[in-house]
Amino acid sequence: MALLDRAKQVAAEFEYTTEDVNRGVKEFLREMDEGLEKDGTCLSQIPTYVTAVPNGTEKGVFLAIDLGGTNFRVCSVQLHGNSTFSLAQSKVPIPHDLMVAKTAKELYVFLAKQIETFLQTHHSERFEAHIRRRRTMSTKEGYRDVNVFRLGFTFSFPVQQEGLNKGTLIRWTKGFHIEDAIGKDVCALLQTEIDKLHLPVRVAAVVNDTVGTLMARSYTSPGKKGALLGCILGTGTNGAYVEKLEKVTKLTSKGKDDAGYDASTGEMVLNMEWGSFDNHLRVLPNTQYDIAVDKDTPNPGIHMFEKRVSGMFLGEILRRTILTLLEDGDSQLFKDSDSSTNDIRSTTTIADDSALYKPWGIDTSFLSVVQADNSGGLKATRATLDKDLGVSAPSYEDAQAVKILVHAIGKRSARLIAVAFAGVVIHSGRLGHQKQENGEYRQSKDSGSGSGLTEAAKSTAEKVEMAVLPLVDTAPSAMMNPVEEDEMVDIGADGSLIEYYPGYEELLREALREIPELGPEGEKRISIGIAKDGSGVGAALIALMAGKGGPPNEEGFLIEGDGVVGEEKKSE
C-alpha cells in the first residue's frame, strides 16, 4: 500500500463523526446531572463555595500564591476597577528535600517565609505600618491586626474542599510526598505559619486554577452576564462553570449547606474535573493507540477524556501512530530504496537515540509546528523532524504522511472538547434550553438560536475528506456575523492548545455547528476568549469574592474595598 494511503488508513481511526459528537454531548449532560446529585461520579462537580463572579468593576490589592509544581509563586494583584490589573510577582524553586519532607511544617514554614520576603520587597510601607501598629490592647491577645491582606491559595493537588478556605489534602502528585500532610487542612497549615511570623495576611480561599481561569475571564471581559465557563486546554484539561445552587442537590443532601458560603446569589462555581469524563468508555473513542497510552500511565482507567484531548498525551499518541507505519513493511515511511526515491536525492535515516524510540519523546509543540506548516514542500515539518526527532533527510511524502496523522489527532481533540463546551452551554439554559421529563434538552421557540444542522448539512460534514494540505487558521465564525453582547455565552480558556495550536478553535467550532441543539446560530453566540493566569489573577479575585459584602470577621474588622481588612468603622 502506498505511504499516503496507509497514513490515511491510520488517521481514519481517529475520525470522530457528527453522530459520535452528539452521542458524546448526551452522555456529558447525563454525567453533569449525576455529579450534581452525588459524589464518586466521573464528572465530580466539586462545590468550590465561590458564589459570585467579578464584573470588572472591582478594585483593590490582593495576594495570591501558587503551589503546583517545582516552583512557588507569590503574586500581588492590583485591580483597577475597569477590567484591567497590575501584577507583581516572585518565583522561587522549592528545594527537593522540602517536597519529600517528614512533616508538613517544614514545607509551610518555607512558604510563609517567601510570603514575608515578598511583602517586605513589594509592600514595604504597609508591612512596616503593620509592624508598628500590631501591638495594641484592643483584643484579649494583646494586639490587633490592621491592613490585613486577603490571600488566594492556588493549591494544584487533589483536595476535598469543605469551604472557601478549608480543604483537606487527598494525595500528593508531581513529585511531592509528605505523608504527614495528607488528610490535613491545607489552608490551616499555611495560616498557622503565617501567624507565627505575625504577617498581615489571611488565607481567604483555596483555589483550583481552572476556577481561577473563570474568574480572570469574568473580570477582564465581563460582558453583561459574566463568563459561564473557564477551562484549561494545555498539558491537562479541566473545566469550571457557574451552576444554579438549587441544582447542586448533593450539598443539601449531606448537610454541606452550612459551610459558610453566601447563598443569596443563587449560584455556585463548580469544579467539574472533566478530565475523567466517561472513564467507563461508553462514548469516548478507544483506538489501539489510546489503549496503549493509557496502559503506560501511572493511573490507567482514569482521566480517559484528558488522555484523548490534552497536550500531555497528543505527542505520545502521534509517536505510536508513526511507529505503526515504521513497523509496517509496506508503508515505506522514512525508508528509501535509494536516493532516486527521495525528492532531495538523499536517503532518510533515523538516529538510534531518536525521540521516536522514547516513550513520551514527542512534545505537543511538534504537532503545532506540523499543523501550521504552509511552506513549499513542507520544509518546516521536515526541518523539525530532523531537529526534534532525529530523522535525517525526510522526503516530502514522509512529511505529508506525518501531517495527515497530526491533523487527525488534533482534530479529534478539538471535537472532543466541543462535546464538553456544548454540554455546559446546553445544561446552563443560557441559549434557552430546558430539560424535559425524558432527560433531553429542548430549546424554547423564542430563544433566538438556530435549529441545528439540516440533514443535508450533516451529510456534507461527514463526507468532508481529511485535509492533507495545510489547514488555514480562519477567524471564528462568531466574528463573521456579530451578535449582540447580551446574547453571547462567554467561555474563558487558557493553555497551549487553545492559544497556540493552529486552527484548534475553528475545528472545535465546526463540531459545535454539527450539534442540533446549537447549530450555526447557536455556535455564533458562543464567545471563546483567552484568560491568562488563573492561578495568580484568578486566585486574587477569589480572595476578593470570598469577603465581598461580608460582615466583620471574628477579629472585629470590616472587609474593605481596597483588598485589606481595615479597622472597624465607628458610628459618628
Side-chain angles (χ1 to χ4, degrees), residues 335-350:
K335 300 169 187 173
D336 301 303
S337 55
D338 57 61
S339 60
S340 66
T341 61
N342 189 312
D343 63 309
I344 57 175
R345 296 299 182 262
S346 183
T347 55
T348 308
T349 59
I350 305 174

Side-chain angles (χ1 to χ4, degrees), residues 453-515:
L453 285 183
T454 63
E455 291 304 315
K458 290 180 188 177
S459 176
T460 300
E462 291 178 352
K463 290 179 180 177
V464 173
E465 294 182 358
M466 254 175 298
V468 176
L469 296 176
L471 177 74
V472 177
D473 190 5
T474 57
S477 60
M479 300 303 293
M480 298 175 185
N481 295 300
V483 180
E484 291 295 326
E485 181 181 321
D486 59 354
E487 295 180 356
M488 299 298 292
V489 176
D490 194 63
I491 294 174
D494 190 14
S496 56
L497 285 177
I498 193 67
E499 193 166 3
Y500 300 120
Y501 194 93
Y504 195 87
E505 182 178 339
E506 182 52 34
L507 289 169
L508 188 163
R509 287 185 175 278
E510 180 184 88
L512 291 177
R513 293 191 287 270
E514 297 170 19
I515 299 167

Side-chain angles (χ1 to χ4, degrees), residues 141-208:
E141 290 84 6
Y143 67 87
R144 179 168 63 178
D145 287 340
V146 297
N147 290 340
V148 177
F149 288 97
R150 292 205 297 278
L151 177 146
F153 183 10
T154 299
F155 189 80
S156 300
F157 302 92
V159 166
Q160 181 62 49
Q161 194 160 351
E162 300 166 5
L164 264 172
N165 65 346
K166 183 176 177 61
T168 56
L169 176 64
I170 297 173
R171 64 182 178 275
W172 291 104
T173 58
K174 307 173 188 178
F176 282 76
H177 185 74
I178 307 172
E179 197 70 29
D180 173 64
I182 296 175
K184 294 182 179 178
D185 184 348
V186 299
C187 292
L189 288 170
L190 178 61
Q191 190 67 62
T192 296
E193 300 309 323
I194 287 173
D195 290 344
K196 287 179 181 178
L197 295 176
H198 301 295
L199 301 180
V201 175
R202 288 290 176 269
V203 182
V206 59
V207 179
N208 173 278

Side-chain angles (χ1 to χ4, degrees), residues 5-208:
D5 289 337
R6 181 70 178 109
K8 290 177 184 178
Q9 189 180 63
V10 173
E13 297 184 53
F14 293 93
E15 187 175 359
Y16 198 61
T17 66
T18 299
E19 181 181 358
D20 294 331
V21 169
N22 283 288
R23 287 178 59 239
V25 171
K26 286 182 171 57
E27 176 63 16
F28 198 91
L29 286 164
R30 189 195 71 78
E31 291 191 16
M32 284 185 74
D33 289 338
E34 184 181 51
L36 293 173
E37 298 172 359
K38 58 186 178 181
D39 295 326
T41 57
C42 288
L43 288 181
S44 298
Q45 301 284 64
I46 301 170
T48 66
Y49 303 94
V50 176
T51 57
V53 297
N55 60 23
T57 64
E58 292 80 4
K59 296 181 179 180
V61 179
F62 300 85
L63 297 183
I65 59 174
D66 182 7
L67 178 68
T70 56
N71 293 312
F72 176 64
R73 185 166 67 122
V74 186
C75 304
S76 169
V77 181
Q78 181 169 7
L79 306 173
H80 300 305
N82 60 356
S83 295
T84 67
F85 61 88
S86 302
L87 183 144
Q89 64 178 336
S90 68
K91 183 183 291 186
V92 295
I94 300 173
H96 183 265
D97 61 322
L98 294 182
M99 296 171 65
V100 293
K102 290 185 178 180
T103 66
K105 177 181 174 66
E106 297 170 65
L107 174 64
Y108 281 93
V109 166
F110 172 81
L111 303 184
K113 283 286 188 182
Q114 300 309 313
I115 296 171
E116 180 182 47
T117 299
F118 181 86
L119 290 176
Q120 291 172 333
T121 302
H122 295 278
H123 294 282
S124 57
E125 290 185 9
R126 185 171 288 178
F127 182 77
E128 292 301 328
H130 167 74
I131 296 299
R132 289 194 302 270
R133 300 177 61 188
R134 181 164 49 83
R135 296 196 174 279
T136 70
M137 297 304 295
S138 301
T139 68
K140 63 182 180 180
E141 290 84 6
Y143 67 87
R144 179 168 63 178
D145 287 340
V146 297
N147 290 340
V148 177
F149 288 97
R150 292 205 297 278
L151 177 146
F153 183 10
T154 299
F155 189 80
S156 300
F157 302 92
V159 166
Q160 181 62 49
Q161 194 160 351
E162 300 166 5
L164 264 172
N165 65 346
K166 183 176 177 61
T168 56
L169 176 64
I170 297 173
R171 64 182 178 275
W172 291 104
T173 58
K174 307 173 188 178
F176 282 76
H177 185 74
I178 307 172
E179 197 70 29
D180 173 64
I182 296 175
K184 294 182 179 178
D185 184 348
V186 299
C187 292
L189 288 170
L190 178 61
Q191 190 67 62
T192 296
E193 300 309 323
I194 287 173
D195 290 344
K196 287 179 181 178
L197 295 176
H198 301 295
L199 301 180
V201 175
R202 288 290 176 269
V203 182
V206 59
V207 179
N208 173 278

Side-chain angles (χ1 to χ4, degrees), residues 123-311:
H123 294 282
S124 57
E125 290 185 9
R126 185 171 288 178
F127 182 77
E128 292 301 328
H130 167 74
I131 296 299
R132 289 194 302 270
R133 300 177 61 188
R134 181 164 49 83
R135 296 196 174 279
T136 70
M137 297 304 295
S138 301
T139 68
K140 63 182 180 180
E141 290 84 6
Y143 67 87
R144 179 168 63 178
D145 287 340
V146 297
N147 290 340
V148 177
F149 288 97
R150 292 205 297 278
L151 177 146
F153 183 10
T154 299
F155 189 80
S156 300
F157 302 92
V159 166
Q160 181 62 49
Q161 194 160 351
E162 300 166 5
L164 264 172
N165 65 346
K166 183 176 177 61
T168 56
L169 176 64
I170 297 173
R171 64 182 178 275
W172 291 104
T173 58
K174 307 173 188 178
F176 282 76
H177 185 74
I178 307 172
E179 197 70 29
D180 173 64
I182 296 175
K184 294 182 179 178
D185 184 348
V186 299
C187 292
L189 288 170
L190 178 61
Q191 190 67 62
T192 296
E193 300 309 323
I194 287 173
D195 290 344
K196 287 179 181 178
L197 295 176
H198 301 295
L199 301 180
V201 175
R202 288 290 176 269
V203 182
V206 59
V207 179
N208 173 278
D209 59 353
T210 311
V211 179
T213 298
L214 170 62
M215 304 297 278
R217 177 64 181 176
S218 287
Y219 181 78
T220 57
S221 299
K224 291 186 178 180
K225 296 183 179 179
L228 168 66
L229 170 67
C231 64
I232 303 295
L233 300 175
T235 304
T237 187
N238 189 19
Y241 76 106
V242 181
E243 179 60 277
K244 294 180 179 65
L245 198 51
E246 63 187 24
K247 290 186 177 181
V248 193
T249 55
K250 65 182 177 183
L251 268 179
T252 54
S253 64
K254 292 191 176 183
K256 296 179 181 178
D257 56 337
D258 59 350
Y261 58 86
D262 178 14
S264 65
T265 65
E267 296 179 332
M268 181 176 286
V269 176
L270 299 186
N271 169 19
M272 302 184 77
E273 292 295 340
W274 76 25
S276 285
F277 165 58
D278 193 26
N279 276 342
H280 304 300
L281 299 179
R282 292 186 179 95
V283 297
L284 285 179
N286 198 32
T287 69
Q288 59 179 309
Y289 311 104
D290 298 311
I291 294 169
V293 168
D294 177 53
K295 189 176 180 180
D296 282 354
T297 62
N299 56 348
I302 301 175
H303 293 171
M304 302 304 269
F305 184 69
E306 182 172 83
K307 289 172 182 175
R308 287 150 178 78
V309 166
S310 71

